[in-house]
Amino acid sequence: MNFNYSKKDKLKSKKLIEQLFTEGKAVTAYPLRLVYLKTKFEDDSQLKTGVSVSKRLHKTAVSRNQIKRLLREAYRLNKPLYFNNSSVSYAFMILYLSKDGTTFDKLDQSIKSLFKKFLVKTEPFIEPTDANTSDK
């Protein structure tokens, strides 16, 4: 399993981000929302992901950055459990919707339920197995 979240896996393109929000679809597992778009990348990566925390809800940069660090870490640890066998390329943007702060454990559970909802919505015939989603 590859637990990396390298530079090539990060969503950086402004054009792609704009396209993601105009044409993309969304799945919500409060306090997270996943906006996704099926696309093809030139560097042959499977997933490109960005995270965002609203400045309106979290006024200080310290709180926004802390939540973004926790989001990226939860994503990095759960990505191989859900997307190792994926043959389709997606662009993801994970948005944090709550006004309250959070802990890593809460975000980890939210990411898992968000990915389950995403897989059910995009690939309804493939159910994530309990072996892949169990806590280790």
Side-chain angles (χ1 to χ4, degrees):
M1 282 194 255
N2 185 5
F3 287 99
N4 291 345
Y5 183 50
S6 62
K7 188 172 183 176
K8 74 174 192 128
D9 297 333
K10 295 178 181 170
L11 184 63
K12 302 264 185 178
S13 167
K14 287 188 179 187
K15 285 182 182 179
L16 188 55
I17 292 171
E18 284 181 18
Q19 185 181 9
L20 182 66
F21 282 109
T22 56
E23 301 172 19
K25 297 177 181 157
V27 176
T28 303
Y30 193 79
L32 301 177
R33 179 184 188 116
L34 175 71
V35 182
Y36 63 93
L37 181 66
K38 186 188 284 190
T39 185
K40 184 71 177 153
F41 300 115
E42 294 171 3
D43 61 356
D44 295 329
S45 59
Q46 290 297 103
L47 299 171
K48 286 195 182 275
T49 306
V51 295
S52 177
V53 179
S54 172
K55 197 180 217 180
R56 182 179 292 169
L57 299 178
H58 297 274
K59 301 293 184 190
T60 64
V62 172
S63 66
R64 286 194 306 274
N65 290 338
Q66 179 187 17
I67 294 169
K68 288 191 284 189
R69 279 195 305 272
L70 292 173
L71 272 173
R72 283 191 290 264
E73 183 65 8
Y75 168 77
R76 182 186 73 83
L77 292 175
N78 287 300
K79 175 182 72 162
L81 301 175
Y82 292 91
F83 300 109
N84 258 2
N85 300 327
S86 179
S87 59
V88 183
S89 298
Y90 285 102
F92 285 165
M93 180 65 79
I94 301 172
L95 308 169
Y96 185 75
L97 304 175
S98 176
K99 191 173 186 174
D100 303 326
T102 189
T103 64
F104 177 76
D105 294 329
K106 290 178 186 174
L107 276 181
D108 192 47
Q109 291 300 319
S110 297
I111 284 273
K112 287 177 182 176
S113 64
L114 189 69
F115 286 164
K116 285 179 190 173
K117 283 185 177 182
F118 168 75
L119 288 176
V120 167
K121 192 170 183 180
T122 58
E123 301 169 10
F125 302 113
I126 301 172
E127 283 291 321
T129 62
D130 290 334
N132 287 345
T133 59
S134 66
D135 294 333
K136 294 178 182 172

